[in-house]
Amino acid sequence: MGTCCCKNQPDSGADDDIIIDRREIEFISGTVTEDGLKSSALSNLTDKYVLDTLAVIRTLVDNDQDPPPSMLKLHSIADKEAGWLVVVRSMVQVIPLTDPLGPAVITLLLDDCPLPSKETVVHLCKFFDLSGESASESWKNPQLHRNICVVLGCIAERLAGPASIALLTNTTLEYLIAHLNEDNHPCVILFALIALEKFAQTSENKTSISKRLGHDPTNPLRTLEGWMSHSDYVHRQVGFCAQWCLDNLFICDGRPYSYENVDTQHLNAMLNSNDVSEYLKISPDGLQARCDASSFESVRCTFQVDEGVWYYEATIITAGVMQIGWATKDSKFLNHEGYGIGDDEVSVAYDGCRQLFWHSAQSQSHIHPSWKPGDILGSLLDLNNAQVIFYLNGDPLPPLTHVFSNAMRGFFAAASFMSFQQCEFNFGRKPFLHPPKDIPFQSFNDHAQLKDAEKIILPRHIRLQKLRAMSVEEGACTLCFDESATIVFLPCSHRGFCERCSLQLEICPMCRRHIKERQKVEEKLSVKEDVT
């Protein structure tokens, strides 16, 4: 399972050794003073729980698995406002810069904690000293400032609306903008960018940030987007996020959109921007994907294979949890439930962070070392012999055959991404770096075809404008407006969906009833009739 995020909250009947000690709760709520736990003792204890959670999180592979005791302890502490501050301070101070799952664990823990009040958030910002002078010191303590930016971004996302506006004070905004200096540590720049993006989900904040960026003689994002092809992989992430923000959020007068300058010559296969879960970011050339949401986002490529032997490669840009492999058109993306590629019976995936294979939501360990930025994952699909082989920097693992008991046709290259993860695909447009030496294969790019219009990855706001403006053919699917609406859901009998979109749904979007059966109907249904 993708997210390794156990969402179960501790219940009132949990064992005493899991729930935090009553005197600790009394202390953090202010009811115990000199005769109770000392503040430093509680901080040390919380630090231990945070590090224990970080250490164990990569071993949690089942979405239904109970959270580890250390996480339950943190939940109990954070249940009180004062305790929430203790947990956040601890995460900021102890989660190391080098752990690839560090930012994701901060997001996971904050997602499971109660929402803080406005007063608590203000107190937190004062404690962190979010001043320009503080931001300029990020090279001296990049771990601290990286973690502060992750926390701010997560809180901004959870407190969407008026509360998010109140959080983005001038001090907070200046703190984040000050980090967008190319002389600062790239990890801090990256998460300051992501925090600004999260704040911009509220339109008033988006306007404030855009105005502030516009006041700079040279918009710092314009400089940072030049890092897209940097040799260092953290810099490369900064370049990706800066370019995405300029294309989608903080529009800069006189700057062409990135898709207008992409060289699409000889680009015949790419990630499918029409076949992707809702929060995944795809680069303008359609070959890079990144997730900065707390959900588990997935995508398939544009080319389907039904026979023969096929190979592609993915460059690992971040070393966290990604599940990369093969999926069919019947595979479902359940991003909020943590299910992605390898989590159904018709897909298979390689997870290089947790050193696992995935198929049918079951994991199997492999002997490759944990991947790191710059590693090349190769994936070979051999439909002639019904096997999949994964390679790490050219080193093959034993073939897998599990998926072929349920599917033999209709495969796509596909991947799923945990929070803050990114990779770049090569479907054969460039020479492969570690091609299989003993197995003849084909590449997508040599056999696929794309129309010029299909190669364009539009910014989201432009895409939405075009969708609103386009005329919808009578009888079209109410979700994609492309295929014919030929499916009726049972038992609710609601209609208006094409076969492809219906397979992505578990509950009816009209009545919220569980879909037990999808029945094909011959007559075409008008969009107007279905919406009614």
Side-chain angles (χ1 to χ4, degrees):
M1 309 269 174
T3 61
C4 70
C5 299
C6 300
K7 298 291 184 180
N8 302 330
Q9 295 287 349
D11 58 37
S12 58
D15 294 337
D16 291 339
D17 63 335
I18 293 179
I19 298 301
I20 196 74
D21 184 85
R22 178 181 59 83
R23 290 178 61 80
E24 298 173 18
I25 297 176
E26 290 173 344
F27 173 80
I28 59 180
S29 62
T31 57
V32 172
T33 53
E34 295 180 358
D35 61 334
L37 289 173
K38 299 296 185 182
S39 176
S40 60
L42 178 64
S43 296
N44 291 337
L45 193 62
T46 308
D47 291 349
K48 177 182 181 300
Y49 294 152
V50 169
L51 291 175
D52 287 349
T53 301
L54 181 62
V56 77
I57 204 71
R58 68 182 68 243
T59 68
L60 303 179
V61 297
D62 188 341
N63 281 4
D64 298 323
Q65 190 172 344
D66 289 335
S70 58
M71 186 181 291
L72 295 178
K73 295 271 193 178
L74 292 171
H75 290 163
S76 296
I77 296 175
D79 193 49
K80 301 281 187 180
E81 289 275 330
W84 184 88
L85 286 170
V86 172
V87 171
V88 172
R89 290 175 187 176
S90 178
M91 290 191 297
V92 164
Q93 292 168 349
V94 305
I95 289 185
L97 192 69
T98 54
D99 194 301
L101 291 181
V105 167
I106 294 175
T107 299
L108 167 63
L109 290 173
L110 286 178
D111 278 348
D112 281 348
C113 290
L115 280 172
S117 67
K118 176 183 174 182
E119 292 75 18
T120 302
V121 173
V122 169
H123 182 77
L124 183 72
C125 292
K126 289 180 180 178
F127 173 79
F128 286 151
D129 182 24
L130 304 183
S131 63
E133 293 77 11
S134 175
S136 66
E137 299 293 313
S138 67
W139 265 109
K140 294 183 179 179
N141 195 346
Q143 169 189 319
L144 176 73
H145 291 283
R146 191 280 306 267
N147 292 342
I148 290 173
C149 290
V150 175
V151 167
L152 289 174
C154 184
I155 296 173
E157 188 170 36
R158 296 194 70 200
L159 298 178
S164 177
I165 296 171
L167 176 59
L168 190 66
T169 62
N170 287 335
T171 300
T172 304
L173 178 57
E174 290 301 324
Y175 173 81
L176 294 173
I177 295 290
H179 285 312
L180 305 184
N181 184 322
E182 60 182 329
D183 294 328
N184 282 341
H185 195 288
C187 279
V188 182
I189 299 173
L190 174 65
F191 285 95
L193 260 175
I194 294 171
L196 288 169
E197 175 196 326
K198 303 292 188 186
F199 276 108
Q201 293 175 0
T202 302
S203 58
E204 188 171 328
N205 283 342
K206 179 180 174 182
T207 301
S208 300
I209 297 168
S210 297
K211 286 182 178 179
R212 176 59 184 81
L213 289 171
H215 289 159
D216 285 348
T218 56
N219 187 327
L221 300 188
R222 297 291 299 271
T223 300
L224 297 175
E225 72 168 326
W227 291 1
M228 276 285 287
S229 56
H230 200 284
S231 58
D232 175 75
Y233 289 96
V234 180
H235 284 77
R236 195 176 295 189
Q237 293 178 67
V238 173
F240 181 101
C241 291
Q243 184 183 78
W244 192 89
C245 284
L246 285 169
D247 283 335
N248 291 273
L249 294 175
F250 312 127
I251 312 304
C252 191
D253 291 340
R255 174 190 175 273
Y257 288 107
S258 300
Y259 77 89
E260 298 176 297
N261 294 323
V262 170
D263 177 14
T264 59
Q265 190 176 11
H266 309 303
L267 180 63
N268 302 323
M270 58 197 295
L271 300 174
N272 192 341
S273 61
N274 296 314
D275 186 19
V276 60
S277 52
E278 57 192 321
Y279 299 120
L280 194 70
K281 301 172 182 175
I282 298 178
S283 62
D285 65 0
L287 296 176
Q288 292 192 57
R290 178 180 178 88
C291 173
D292 286 315
S294 57
S295 44
F296 196 53
E297 302 296 313
S298 303
V299 65
R300 282 177 281 241
C301 75
T302 54
F303 186 59
Q304 174 180 319
V305 295
D306 298 310
E307 58 185 5
V309 183
W310 303 88
Y311 177 79
Y312 74 91
E313 290 181 342
T315 300
I316 304 305
I317 295 177
T318 58
V321 174
M322 296 178 282
Q323 292 175 197
I324 304 174
W326 301 88
T328 70
K329 62 183 179 181
D330 296 326
S331 296
K332 302 178 181 64
F333 302 158
L334 302 176
N335 53 341
H336 294 294
E337 285 75 25
Y339 291 85
I341 309 306
D343 292 331
D344 58 38
E345 67 278 5
V346 288
S347 64
V348 62
Y350 177 104
D351 177 349
C353 176
R354 294 175 291 182
Q355 298 168 277
L356 299 171
F357 295 124
W358 288 98
H359 169 64
S360 199
Q362 299 296 315
S363 62
Q364 172 188 342
S365 61
H366 61 68
I367 60 173
H368 276 164
S370 295
W371 58 23
K372 59 187 183 299
D375 282 346
I376 305 296
L377 176 68
S379 186
L380 183 134
L381 174 71
D382 184 350
L383 291 168
N384 297 337
N385 296 297
Q387 62 182 11
V388 173
I389 302 175
F390 290 104
Y391 305 75
L392 187 65
N393 300 322
D395 178 25
L397 290 172
L400 299 176
T401 59
H402 308 69
V403 69
F404 298 99
S405 60
N406 297 297
M408 283 300 298
R409 296 173 58 83
F411 283 93
F412 298 83
S416 299
F417 302 78
M418 193 181 176
S419 306
F420 313 123
Q421 303 307 313
Q422 178 179 340
C423 74
E424 180 176 3
F425 294 87
N426 179 12
F427 297 126
R429 189 188 188 193
K430 300 183 299 185
F432 292 119
L433 293 179
H434 299 284
K437 298 177 181 178
D438 53 348
I439 304 176
F441 64 87
Q442 304 171 88
S443 75
F444 299 165
N445 211 70
D446 290 341
H447 295 268
Q449 289 184 338
L450 288 172
K451 298 176 182 177
D452 288 341
E454 294 172 329
K455 300 178 183 181
I456 298 174
I457 308 291
L458 291 172
R460 291 180 179 177
H461 65 285
I462 296 179
R463 185 177 181 186
L464 286 174
Q465 290 172 3
K466 289 183 175 292
L467 284 173
R468 293 189 190 104
M470 67 186 292
S471 59
V472 180
E473 180 182 350
E474 184 175 352
C477 173
T478 55
L479 295 181
C480 68
F481 303 109
D482 185 17
E483 302 293 334
S484 296
T486 59
I487 299 297
V488 58
F489 293 149
L490 298 177
C492 66
S493 298
H494 281 122
R495 307 180 174 191
F497 310 97
C498 69
E499 185 173 2
R500 184 180 67 180
C501 290
S502 71
L503 292 171
Q504 307 298 320
L505 300 172
E506 296 293 329
I507 58 175
C508 174
M510 294 183 179
C511 66
R512 314 305 294 174
R513 291 182 68 182
H514 185 76
I515 301 168
K516 294 185 177 180
E517 185 178 349
R518 298 164 182 81
Q519 190 174 90
K520 195 164 186 176
V521 292
E522 296 300 325
E523 68 272 16
K524 289 190 176 181
L525 307 164
S526 71
V527 172
K528 181 177 179 182
E529 178 186 51
D530 289 335
V531 172
T532 304

